[in-house]
């Protein structure tokens, strides 16, 4: 058996707790796999305070397990953002407990580190909302594949780019369209594709019914497209303002050059053109102002995590292996007092 890698710190962040005994067993198996492949690793698990009792035995079987207590009512995407922000690894895998048995996470980690790219899990099921989600994703500047899973492996540098995105809630689920973020996809394990466990994967959900979560995705994608919609509105308003100014100039030229015009035409045209120009400039100013506010406002995950259970010391055993002793201040002070006596 090869020696575990000691040049890479790995974090696996789960956005929700293990819901049943099978998922807890898969989580323990993941800990054993990580321990054989990597020397330094951690598993972060977002949970509620009430879930601690069910994870007591899990903490004993997974030594490097961190339980993050989130505030009540945190949504699925807020939980993903919280665990992704709290992870300290050189490679961070954001996943869900329901997908642990379907992907080779160790291979995804090594691929992400070697290729310096995001590695996204891919399944073979058909997504009935895939086309609509892809269209909304393009409008929001996000990359959405019809077969993408919840599991994504982020190199540390690329995770920083994702967390700096204006809509970090969705960016940790759907990577932003950015040339600095190359994306690779890894298929499900060959032994589960098309197998008996596949229907369970299709219906599994860690935060509620799958349909509700997909509806939330479409809702958030619609909201996230607001910056681009505002840009289009600003451009249309600017065109309308210039069109109103041109029509006002045309009305003045007609009134000055023609001897006979319809009574009231000049005043009506001038009023309509100036009103259109004013409304165009006003909507343009409001649109660019709202666009600027959306860029400035970024919600942080700092208030999501209220406590952490079972903190771990990843590097404490290194001191024992190198036989290093740290002398304290009291150790140095004792001989001085004895000499004085």
């Amino acid at each position: 058996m090869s020696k575990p890698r000691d040049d890479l710190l790995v974090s696996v962040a789960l956005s929700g707790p293990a819901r049943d005994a099978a998922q807890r067993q898969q989580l323990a198996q993941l800990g054993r796999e990580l321990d054989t492949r990597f020397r330094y690793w951690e598993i972060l698990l977002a949970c509620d305070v009430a879930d601690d009792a069910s994870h007591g035995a899990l903490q004993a079987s997974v030594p490097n397990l961190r339980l993050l207590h989130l505030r009540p009512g945190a949504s699925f995407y807020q939980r993903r953002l919280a665990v992704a922000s709290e992870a300290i690894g050189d490679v961070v895998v954001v996943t869900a407990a329901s997908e642990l048995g379907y992907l080779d996470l160790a291979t995804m980690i090594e691929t992400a580190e070697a290729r310096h790219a995001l590695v996204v899990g891919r399944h073979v099921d058909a997504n009935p909302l895939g086309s609509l989600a892809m269209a909304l994703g393009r409008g929001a500047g996000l990359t959405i594949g019809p077969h993408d899973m919840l599991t994504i492996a982020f190199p540390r540098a690329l995770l920083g780019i994702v967390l700096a995105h204006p809509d970090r809630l969705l960016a940790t689920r759907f990577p932003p369209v950015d040339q600095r973020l190359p994306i690779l996809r890894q298929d499900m394990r060959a032994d589960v594709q098309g197998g008996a466990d596949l229907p369970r994967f299709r219906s599994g959900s860690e935060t509620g019914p799958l349909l509700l979560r997909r509806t939330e995705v479409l809702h958030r994608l619609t909201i996230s497209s607001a910056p681009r919609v505002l840009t289009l509105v600003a451009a249309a308003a600017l065109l309308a303002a210039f069109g109103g100014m041109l029509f006002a100039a045309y009305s003045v030229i007609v009134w000055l050059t023609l001897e006979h015009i319809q009574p009231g035409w000049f005043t009506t045209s001038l009023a309509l053109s100036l009103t259109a120009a004013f409304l165009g400039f006003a909507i343009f100013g409001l649109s660019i102002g709202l666009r600027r506010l959306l860029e400035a406002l970024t919600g942080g995950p700092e208030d999501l995590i209220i406590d952490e259970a079972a903190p771990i010391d990843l590097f404490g055993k290194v001191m024992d292996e190198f036989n290093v002793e740290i002398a304290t201040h009291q150790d140095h002070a004792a001989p001085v007092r004895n000499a004085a006596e």
Side-chain angles (χ1 to χ4, degrees):
M1 184 176 62
S2 60
K3 184 179 179 181
R5 293 185 56 177
D6 58 1
D7 60 340
L8 190 65
L9 173 59
V10 173
S11 297
V12 178
L14 283 79
S15 55
R19 295 299 181 183
D20 50 35
Q23 291 184 2
R24 288 191 287 269
Q25 183 179 2
Q26 290 175 348
L27 188 58
Q29 176 63 28
L30 172 63
R32 291 189 291 268
E33 292 179 359
L34 293 176
D35 199 50
T36 58
R37 300 282 289 271
F38 309 100
R39 186 180 182 185
Y40 306 113
W41 56 274
E42 64 171 355
I43 296 179
L44 295 86
L45 196 62
C47 62
D48 300 326
V49 179
D51 296 328
D52 275 356
S54 61
H55 290 92
L58 190 60
Q59 294 182 24
S61 59
V62 183
N64 296 343
L65 178 65
R66 298 169 57 190
L67 299 179
L68 303 180
H69 296 156
L70 304 186
R71 61 175 173 82
S75 68
F76 170 77
Y77 298 100
Q78 290 175 327
R79 299 168 80 93
R80 283 181 67 95
L81 175 60
V83 293
S85 303
E86 189 68 15
I88 63 174
D90 300 316
V91 176
V92 178
V93 179
V94 184
T95 183
S98 58
E99 294 187 359
L100 290 181
Y102 297 91
L103 291 166
D104 187 353
L105 295 187
T107 301
M108 294 180 66
I109 292 169
E110 292 180 339
T111 303
E113 189 268 339
R115 303 283 296 275
H116 195 66
L118 275 61
V119 182
V120 182
R122 180 170 56 188
H123 63 80
V124 296
D125 290 342
N127 186 357
L129 300 179
S131 300
L132 179 59
M134 289 177 63
L136 292 175
R138 285 193 296 269
L142 302 173
T143 303
I144 300 180
H147 302 287
D148 288 350
M149 300 171 66
L150 300 175
T151 303
I152 307 177
F154 298 90
R156 167 55 57 181
L158 302 188
L159 179 61
I161 297 175
V162 171
L163 294 179
H165 191 268
D167 192 351
R168 294 183 289 178
L169 288 179
L170 282 182
T172 55
R173 172 64 180 93
F174 305 109
V177 178
D178 195 323
Q179 293 182 353
R180 299 172 297 173
L181 298 175
I183 299 175
L184 303 176
R185 287 178 170 81
Q186 177 171 309
D187 293 332
M188 294 170 57
R189 294 178 185 266
D191 55 347
V192 299
Q193 288 189 8
D197 291 337
L198 190 57
R200 180 181 177 184
F201 165 75
R202 296 179 62 180
S203 60
S205 174
E206 61 177 346
T207 58
L210 184 59
L211 180 60
L212 292 179
R213 198 172 70 196
R214 288 179 174 174
T215 304
E216 184 182 1
V217 169
L218 298 179
H219 175 66
R220 290 207 59 86
L221 287 175
T222 304
I223 296 175
S224 298
S225 62
R228 297 197 175 190
V229 173
L230 286 174
T231 302
L232 294 177
V233 171
L238 193 60
L239 291 176
F242 280 116
M245 296 297 295
L246 290 176
F247 189 72
Y250 167 76
S251 302
V252 172
I253 293 173
V254 169
W255 179 71
L256 292 175
T257 56
L258 296 183
E259 295 182 358
H260 302 285
I261 57 174
Q262 189 71 21
W265 177 87
F266 173 70
T267 54
T268 303
S269 299
L270 194 62
L272 291 176
S273 60
L274 293 179
T275 301
F278 172 77
L279 291 178
F281 282 119
I283 295 175
F284 173 76
L286 291 174
S287 299
I288 61 175
L290 290 175
R291 183 72 166 83
R292 182 67 184 90
L293 287 177
L294 290 177
E295 291 179 352
L297 293 177
T298 55
E302 294 80 8
D303 60 339
L304 293 175
I305 301 174
I306 59 177
D307 190 17
E308 178 178 348
I312 61 176
D313 185 4
L314 294 176
F315 307 104
K317 61 182 179 180
V318 177
M319 307 300 294
D320 298 331
E321 293 177 0
F322 286 101
N323 194 22
V324 176
E325 295 183 1
I326 301 177
T328 62
H329 176 71
Q330 291 77 5
D331 296 335
H332 292 289
V336 175
R337 291 195 300 269
N338 293 335
E341 295 174 355

